[in-house]
Amino acid sequence: MLIIDDTGFLKNGTVSAGVQRQYSGAAGRTENCQIGVFAAYASRYGRALVDRELYLPKSWIGDRDRCEAAKIPDDRDFVTKGDLAKAMIQRALASPLPIAWVTAYSAYGQEWRMRRMLEEADVGYVLAVPKSQPVPALGQIDLVIAQAPDEAWKRHSCGDGAKGPRVYDWAAAKLPAIHGFDGDQPTLDRWVLAGRSLARPEEIAYYLAYAPAGTEVAELARIAGSRWAIEECFQAAKNECGLDQYEVRRYPGWYRHITLAMLAHAFLAAMSATATTARGGRRNGSGDLVPLTVAEVRRLLAVRRPPPTHRRKPDHALSWSWWRRRHQATARRCHYRRRHGGGHELPAPDATAAE
């Protein structure tokens, strides 16, 4: 699965490539920042960032002297965030990575050119869209979903979170095929999809989906929830690998630093996935351990190569890691059981919920 989103890098000055006052999703408000558009790759084994592009606003592209000072190439024109995402998706599809699904937040899901590109490549997608998103021949997507009868809403989990399964009410409707584009016997169907909060029913998230024939709504819900994996990648890469801890101002320096931080995060994520797979994936029982996280792997690697004055023994650090993860698993299991009521045993959370 390929996941698209952007994140902001807060800055104080005005000379860093691409910096200006603009909305940052990471800060949740307009800040003086750089914006990077990223692609993350996720599977049942783990997730990592795999591609990146620096967004350059029009105010930068229109000032060639400023671009020259920041070493921005002369042939770099203004490119929207949606087109940057489209270019990364094309590179990912051309790579050896097996990609069955693409998902993204609404800023990218509303890009019809990106959806058409994925449809032409026969790649499934579940893309968040704003409530004003038009649906051909039906009107706005929120008005379409508002017509769904009560029995159309079914309760499904869209993945595990820190507080247990993320459960929402979901409604979906299959859209008619597009004659002249889909052919006589299309193998993939278009859907409108909505997820409604249980605690606040007025909060509804909307999606457009393109899925193989016979796909269940529960599967579409799971794909929709998987887009949060890129947020976990941002958090881990910033906290553990210094993704946002830089003072480089020039365009080439930004790409060098971000690429090295992504590589470090991918290395830690691969080690975590390897350790989890070696243990046989999920394990239940009182002696269960939560899977190794990127942060835990980094701590263990740091202890394996301590400075000469470091008194902490590697064996002690490993034993402490096992003790901590075993108690985390017990606490998580009890929390899940208490949160969801009843005495039934819930499955131990997998690596996607470890952070």
Side-chain angles (χ1 to χ4, degrees):
M1 184 186 306
L2 197 70
I3 311 165
I4 304 296
D5 194 17
D6 57 65
T7 188
F9 302 95
L10 301 183
K11 310 296 288 185
N12 291 324
T14 60
V15 297
S16 298
V19 69
Q20 72 169 24
R21 285 193 61 81
Q22 52 194 328
Y23 180 79
S24 168
R29 58 185 180 273
T30 299
E31 289 281 0
N32 191 61
C33 64
Q34 295 170 300
I35 298 294
V37 182
F38 288 82
Y41 184 75
S43 73
R44 65 181 181 274
Y45 300 110
R47 68 287 307 278
L49 300 171
V50 294
D51 206 348
R52 74 284 173 262
E53 289 288 353
L54 178 63
Y55 171 68
L56 297 177
K58 290 182 179 180
S59 62
W60 271 83
I61 297 300
D63 189 341
R64 298 315 305 179
D65 292 337
R66 196 181 187 191
C67 288
E68 183 178 358
K71 301 299 181 182
I72 297 174
D74 293 336
D75 59 353
R76 175 67 190 269
D77 297 323
F78 174 72
V79 183
T80 66
K81 297 175 187 176
D83 286 339
L84 291 176
K86 183 179 175 182
M88 289 191 293
I89 292 174
Q90 289 174 328
R91 289 198 291 263
L93 294 178
S95 73
L97 287 175
I99 298 173
W101 297 93
V102 173
T103 185
Y105 286 81
S106 58
Y108 302 95
Q110 61 185 339
E111 292 282 341
W112 70 269
R113 293 182 181 86
M114 189 173 76
R115 298 198 304 270
R116 180 56 59 91
M117 178 191 70
L118 293 171
E119 292 172 4
E120 291 175 346
D122 286 333
V123 176
Y125 62 71
V126 180
L127 303 172
V129 295
K131 66 179 183 180
S132 59
Q133 176 69 35
V135 179
L138 295 177
Q140 285 189 183
I141 191 170
D142 61 336
L143 301 179
V144 175
I145 294 299
Q147 301 174 26
D150 292 340
E151 58 270 19
W153 295 91
K154 304 295 182 183
R155 195 155 294 180
H156 299 291
S157 170
C158 60
D160 289 338
K163 297 181 180 180
R166 297 186 177 106
V167 179
Y168 294 85
D169 286 332
W170 296 86
K174 188 182 300 183
L175 299 175
I178 299 177
H179 298 290
F181 179 79
D182 294 329
D184 297 332
Q185 295 181 333
T187 57
L188 289 93
D189 301 318
R190 294 179 186 82
W191 294 76
V192 290
L193 177 70
R196 186 175 65 188
S197 171
L198 303 184
R200 295 177 291 275
E202 69 279 2
E203 295 184 4
I204 301 177
Y206 302 94
Y207 306 86
L208 291 177
Y210 189 63
T215 302
E216 299 290 339
V217 175
E219 176 69 3
L220 296 179
R222 185 187 68 82
I223 300 299
S226 297
R227 74 186 191 280
W228 291 315
I230 195 170
E231 301 291 345
E232 297 176 9
C233 287
F234 288 150
Q235 181 182 6
K238 289 181 178 181
N239 292 344
E240 308 302 331
C241 306
L243 184 73
D244 61 346
Q245 298 167 13
Y246 61 88
E247 296 182 2
V248 295
R249 295 182 174 89
R250 295 178 176 179
Y251 183 84
W254 186 89
Y255 276 90
R256 292 190 187 109
H257 174 84
I258 295 298
T259 302
L260 289 173
M262 289 169 52
L263 177 60
H265 174 255
F267 176 77
L268 295 175
M271 289 193 68
S272 173
T274 301
T276 301
T277 304
R279 290 182 57 244
R282 298 182 180 184
R283 288 173 56 186
N284 295 322
S286 59
D288 192 23
L289 306 176
V290 298
L292 277 169
T293 64
V294 167
E296 190 72 11
V297 172
R298 181 178 179 275
R299 281 194 290 267
L300 292 173
L301 287 177
V303 173
R304 290 293 298 178
R305 292 175 174 82
T309 57
H310 203 303
R311 296 181 179 180
R312 193 174 182 184
K313 300 289 186 179
D315 292 343
H316 176 268
L318 185 60
S319 299
W320 177 250
S321 174
W322 277 69
W323 183 90
R324 179 169 56 245
R325 290 161 57 207
R326 184 168 61 251
H327 282 70
Q328 286 173 342
T330 302
R332 188 184 298 272
R333 187 165 51 252
C334 294
H335 177 73
Y336 276 25
R337 188 185 302 118
R338 182 174 62 253
R339 177 180 173 84
H340 296 278
H344 63 279
E345 184 77 11
L346 291 173
D350 57 16
T352 63
E355 280 296 329

